[in-house]
Structures are given as C-alpha cells and as structure tokens.
Amino acid sequence: MIKWFSILLLAALALCADTMIGKYSVEYGIFGKMGTSEAKLTRAENRYEIVMTARATGLAKVLSGGRVEIYRSKGLIVDGRLVPELFSKDIRRFSKRRIKTYRFDHPHGRVTFHEERYKEGKLVSQKDETLPYYALDDIFSLYFNILDIIGDCSKPFDRHLHAVGAEKKTGKVRVRTVVGEERKDVKELLGEASCYLEVTVYQKLFGSKGGTLYLALRPDGVVTKAVLKDVVMFGDVRGRLVDFMIRP
C-alpha cells in the first residue's frame, strides 16, 4: 500500500551538504495518516548514497501486514551529477521479503538485476536477468538531477525520460513543468512554491489511473508537498514535509 512513497522523495533534497534528511507524513483520503517516509542523502568526496525508508502506520500497517520498503541508490558524483552504480529495493511484509538489486554497466549500456525472495527468513527463490532497456539513472538519481535537466522551471518542459524503477518494460517516466494558467490550479492544490512539477511513472500507484504526481518544490529543490491524483474511491494521496535537517 505504500509503494508510491518512493516517488514522493525523488526530488526532496539538494546537493549542498554532506548529509541531508527529509521526513514526510502521508495521508490517504478518508483514512487520514497512513504512513511515514524518510530519505537520507550522504556524500563523501566523489561518491553518494541515498537511503529511503517508508513505513505504513495505523490502519494501513494492519492492512499491509506491517509493510516496510527500503530503497537504496549509490554511485558516483560526476560534474555535480549523480551517476548510479547500484539501485536496490527491499520490500518486507508479514513473513515475506523480496530484494531486487540492479547494477549499472554504463560502458556497455546495460543494467542487470538479481532478485531474491524469502519466506520466514529462508531463501525460497532467486533469479538473474538483464533489463530490456538501458537507463543512465534510477528513479532517485534522475530526480536529484532533474532541476539541472529542466533548467528554468518557469519555462515549459515536457519530456519522457528513462530511469530504473519507473515503468517496468521501458523505464519511461514523464516530467512536465506546470506553467501558465495551469499553475494557478496547482498552487491551490499544493500551496505556494517556486516550482511545480507533474511526474507520471506509468504505474497504477495506489489505485491511481496512471501514477501521476504533482510536486511543489522550494528554491533549493526540497519537495514541500505532493499529491497523487485520481485514486479510486478514496480521493487523493497527500504527502507533506514535516522535518528537514542538514548534518556536516
């Protein structure tokens, strides 16, 4: 039930210090608060690591079997850009656990992954594959790089990009700046912000039609609010920043 939390934190932090931590509260329609997310970015010299942890709370915790999702992206910083070497997903629920680890082979233009499934602490299956597409980024590195890709957020930008962790067969993700008259409507939805983005990952996140998110960003790139639209029956899923800290 908290699969979409990772998208909330994609553009959450800016590369301005050694360690940054953003914490978010997530609410879902009539259910109220249903989870929390925390993202931590650490960099040392020319390397970086992002760890995002999402946990269900309250009724959502009961319905999801205590679901916990841990995402990790690590790699190099090249000319200010994050270049991933590894991206992983660790999904835990009840007595089950699934770990997917993606490894980037940039010189040869390919991405491989290894998957392990556990039940009651025992390995029950594993497999190795090569993705049918190549992407320079994973979903975290892409959105930490996104403001550099967009340039001026006040100008029209509408492109299909690619990232491991987005659409399953192609890695496709659409990023669009919200400008002009449409900006007024999104401002009413998300409040005041320096930049508004519409992000579509082409997955049925939390019962939404196409996995379309609206993000409100501060000038430093921190997402202050996010809304997942068109969720069946219960209204929008809403996320908001509740704490942000920088550590040397």
Side-chain angles (χ1 to χ4, degrees):
M1 294 182 67
I2 53 176
K3 176 181 178 182
W4 82 280
F5 284 7
S6 61
I7 311 300
L8 174 62
L9 299 176
L10 293 179
L13 308 171
L15 286 174
C16 58
D18 290 331
T19 301
M20 288 143 289
I21 301 173
K23 297 181 179 181
Y24 290 80
S25 175
V26 180
E27 299 178 349
Y28 181 26
I30 63 174
F31 292 110
K33 184 177 179 180
M34 53 159 285
T36 60
S37 293
E38 177 180 299
K40 180 179 180 181
L41 167 65
T42 302
R43 65 173 184 174
E45 298 181 349
N46 66 333
R47 301 196 63 83
Y48 80 91
E49 181 175 26
I50 304 164
V51 179
M52 195 285 291
T53 303
R55 300 178 185 276
T57 60
L59 178 61
K61 182 176 181 179
V62 175
L63 296 176
S64 67
R67 188 179 180 102
V68 176
E69 302 183 7
I70 303 172
Y71 297 82
R72 187 183 306 271
S73 173
K74 59 191 301 185
L76 299 172
I77 303 174
V78 180
D79 296 328
R81 180 187 176 94
L82 303 190
V83 181
E85 297 175 324
L86 179 146
F87 174 68
S88 66
K89 303 178 183 180
D90 185 346
I91 313 298
R92 306 173 187 183
R93 180 181 179 183
F94 289 121
S95 60
K96 297 181 180 179
R97 184 179 182 186
R98 182 178 66 178
I99 304 172
K100 282 188 175 183
T101 303
Y102 300 81
R103 298 187 183 277
F104 291 77
D105 183 353
H106 295 297
H108 297 95
R110 66 183 180 185
V111 180
T112 59
F113 81 89
H114 175 75
E115 180 183 72
E116 296 179 350
R117 291 178 181 264
Y118 293 85
K119 187 173 182 179
E120 297 180 347
K122 297 182 179 180
L123 179 66
V124 294
S125 68
Q126 59 181 320
K127 65 178 180 179
D128 293 278
E129 292 184 9
T130 299
L131 292 185
Y133 66 91
Y134 165 72
L136 179 62
D137 287 290
D138 58 50
I139 53 176
F140 285 94
S141 66
L142 174 63
Y143 286 94
F144 277 93
N145 295 329
I146 196 62
L147 292 183
D148 287 335
I149 296 173
I150 291 174
D152 188 348
C153 195
S154 66
K155 296 181 179 180
F157 179 94
D158 189 349
R159 285 176 54 189
H160 281 104
L161 305 173
H162 295 84
V164 172
E167 199 276 333
K168 293 181 179 179
K169 295 182 179 179
T170 65
K172 182 172 66 173
V173 55
R174 181 188 179 191
V175 179
R176 185 174 73 88
T177 53
V178 179
V179 297
E181 291 298 315
E182 186 183 5
R183 186 180 175 92
K184 297 179 181 178
D185 295 331
V186 176
K187 181 179 178 180
E188 291 183 4
L189 179 69
L190 296 176
E192 186 66 44
S194 64
C195 178
Y196 299 102
L197 297 180
E198 179 189 279
V199 180
T200 305
V201 295
Y202 300 102
Q203 296 183 34
K204 292 184 179 180
L205 301 175
F206 218 121
S208 64
K209 293 180 180 179
T212 298
L213 282 163
Y214 288 94
L215 305 175
L217 281 69
R218 301 188 325 198
D220 59 2
V222 175
V223 172
T224 56
K225 290 185 179 179
V227 172
L228 176 63
K229 297 295 293 180
D230 297 324
V231 177
V232 177
M233 295 180 63
F234 300 111
D236 300 334
V237 175
R238 304 176 301 276
R240 62 183 179 86
L241 180 70
V242 296
D243 192 22
F244 180 77
M245 64 190 78
I246 297 175
R247 297 176 180 172

